[in-house]
Amino acid sequence: MKRIAVLTSGGDAPGMNAAIRAVVRAANYNHIEVYGAERGYAGLIEGELQMLSRRSVSDIIQRGGTILKTARSAEFTTYEGRKKAVEALSVRGIGGLVVIGGDGSLRGANELYNEFGVKTIGVPGTIDNDLGYTDRTIGFDTAVNTALSAINNLRDTMSSHDRVVIVQVMGRHCGSIALHAGLAGGAEVILVPEKPVDYDDVAAILNRGKAVGKTSGIVMLAEGAAPLDEVMRELKDRTGLSFRTTVLGYIQRGGSPTMEDRVLASRLAVRAVDLLRADKGGRVVGVKGGEVIDLPISEALQIPPRFDSDLFEQAKMLSL
Ligand code: ADP
């Protein structure tokens, strides 16, 4: 394979640039040219591809977001749309495609492989850490650290004013960010979509704290666990404590990637290029027990996201 392409798709995640850089550098090292498609599958369909040189990916490893931009594409979910994407690749003699993105993007990569035989390799890039086949996704560590730094700031002001703050973080279906940031930030309560929310139980924890003179605290709320206003109302009624709310929102998506995310992105991208060099496609890369792994996309996407219930219970025990 002499020419490959790379794109970022779906929600952006810190570390995507580190992955793009590593794809380009690892490929060029092995005398393979790399084209970058802009705006994910949407740009690929429109033929928005440009050659990426070693130099063009200088000075991006530390940047959040993605220099290739990302998008969602309804057209790509149709057979005709995917056919256009394949034509854009074949007209340039591009034999392989590295797709950096979440669950949906990897499904798209699998379709290209199954329907047209395009050698696609998926690289997990999403802050949600919601892919069951890999222990970590690129961007998760940075997002957790961003949330953690917000908790640290909030704790200072909450303890000065005797207030409890409910911090809403991303995680519609997956409470990993809330769990990890909550544990690391010493949150009194962590609410995640994977576990039923019991307001009596939560109020009892806060009331127990109140009884021993604790009048401030942090409630970490993954957005999919329960609506923010409902949580505040239910807990106010049951505790009489003073509450404030903070929604971290898009702040969690940006920022300079942590060492963990940069190293992970680099390792996964190198494996992706290795697979293309070996003429393999329809596979995803990931990490298990610290080791880089690869497996068929179809197999990987059947593995449900795993919520770390043990860690959740430990966090609960340690917050008391
Ligand atoms: P993420 O990759 O972050 O999960 P999305 O689910 O929005 O984000 O997926 C990104 C893009 O991938 C979609 O806009 C669509 O073009 C493509 N995609 C998603 N699911 C599929 C699918 N089942 N088949 C083909 N393409 C898909």
Side-chain angles (χ1 to χ4, degrees), residues 300-317:
L301 294 183
Q302 272 171 25
I303 302 171
R306 199 183 77 83
F307 181 71
D308 194 338
S309 290
D310 290 345
L311 195 64
F312 182 75
E313 292 307 324
Q314 287 165 14
K316 220 168 164 181
M317 177 180 78

Side-chain angles (χ1 to χ4, degrees), residues 9-11 41 71-77 82 101-109 111 125-126:
S9 166
Y41 293 125
R72 296 197 159 83
S73 166
E75 192 178 0
F76 188 79
T77 60
R82 290 193 291 276
D103 171 80
S105 305
L106 303 184
R107 279 182 208 285
E111 301 271 301
T126 164

Side-chain angles (χ1 to χ4, degrees), residues 73-215:
S73 166
E75 192 178 0
F76 188 79
T77 60
T78 66
Y79 179 84
E80 288 70 30
R82 290 193 291 276
K83 199 160 169 232
K84 278 197 211 167
V86 174
E87 278 156 13
L89 293 170
S90 61
V91 83
R92 289 167 182 81
I94 295 169
L97 174 67
V98 178
V99 172
I100 306 163
D103 171 80
S105 305
L106 303 184
R107 279 182 208 285
N110 200 36
E111 301 271 301
L112 284 185
Y113 179 71
N114 287 339
E115 290 172 346
F116 303 94
V118 178
K119 300 278 163 50
T120 51
I121 304 293
V123 175
T126 164
I127 63 167
D128 293 328
N129 207 39
D130 59 352
L131 295 166
Y133 80 89
T134 180
D135 289 343
R136 283 284 176 271
T137 57
I138 297 166
F140 173 69
D141 188 65
T142 306
V144 169
N145 278 292
T146 303
L148 182 57
S149 128
I151 296 176
N152 293 341
N153 290 0
L154 287 165
R155 198 176 274 291
D156 290 346
T157 174
M158 291 304 138
S159 60
S160 304
H161 286 278
D162 286 344
R163 282 173 187 158
V164 178
V165 65
I166 306 168
V167 188
Q168 183 186 287
V169 294
M170 284 183 173
R172 239 169 270 154
H173 308 288
C174 177
S176 277
I177 295 179
L179 171 59
H180 287 79
L183 171 56
E188 277 64 24
V189 175
I190 301 170
L191 302 175
V192 294
E194 292 88 345
K195 303 279 172 185
V197 176
D198 180 338
Y199 292 116
D200 288 334
D201 192 29
V202 175
I205 293 169
L206 295 176
N207 281 329
R208 217 175 304 143
K210 197 172 150 190
V212 294
K214 207 170 174 184
T215 48

